[in-house]
Amino acid sequence: MNKILLINRIDPKDFSNTKKKMCFIIGGMNIPSVENKLIELLNKSGKLDINDITYKYNGVELNITIQDIPAIVKLLTLNNISIYSIFQSYNPEL
């Protein structure tokens, strides 16, 4: 596992409709019931298209706007999904 991770700063004043790939590190992704619950919640949320969701071994990557982050956090926490980190990976445009 990488010990160094470059990330972009999240600007809470970004009210644009530009979607960005945000990583949510979720506790218990190795437990099938947690993973299944996460999949069900995100699919039923009505906020995300199936193409905006990428499941990872340690969480999920969502293609969302910055202003969608609080709503996703609320959805997950109200359903007892543990969030350990939210970030946007740094990918320089080449």
Side-chain angles (χ1 to χ4, degrees), residues 35-54:
E35 185 178 6
N36 292 337
K37 187 175 186 180
L38 178 66
I39 291 168
E40 183 180 334
L41 281 172
L42 294 178
N43 287 341
K44 288 184 176 181
S45 72
K47 295 184 174 291
L48 300 163
D49 184 80
I50 193 75
N51 296 321
D52 290 332
I53 306 170
T54 305

Side-chain angles (χ1 to χ4, degrees), residues 34-94:
V34 172
E35 185 178 6
N36 292 337
K37 187 175 186 180
L38 178 66
I39 291 168
E40 183 180 334
L41 281 172
L42 294 178
N43 287 341
K44 288 184 176 181
S45 72
K47 295 184 174 291
L48 300 163
D49 184 80
I50 193 75
N51 296 321
D52 290 332
I53 306 170
T54 305
Y55 296 97
K56 307 280 186 171
Y57 74 96
N58 62 347
V60 64
E61 184 178 78
L62 303 175
N63 194 28
I64 58 175
T65 66
I66 298 300
Q67 297 306 313
D68 287 335
I69 293 172
I72 298 297
V73 168
K74 183 177 181 179
L75 172 71
L76 298 180
T77 55
L78 287 176
N79 287 279
N80 298 318
I81 301 290
S82 301
I83 304 168
Y84 284 87
S85 182
I86 302 169
F87 59 89
Q88 180 189 18
S89 294
Y90 176 71
N91 290 318
E93 295 182 31
L94 301 176

Side-chain angles (χ1 to χ4, degrees), residues 14-49:
D14 181 353
F15 292 96
S16 71
N17 289 327
T18 304
K19 289 185 174 184
K20 300 176 185 200
K21 290 185 179 185
M22 303 302 300
C23 297
F24 288 72
I25 304 303
I26 304 295
M29 280 298 284
N30 59 326
I31 303 168
S33 62
V34 172
E35 185 178 6
N36 292 337
K37 187 175 186 180
L38 178 66
I39 291 168
E40 183 180 334
L41 281 172
L42 294 178
N43 287 341
K44 288 184 176 181
S45 72
K47 295 184 174 291
L48 300 163
D49 184 80

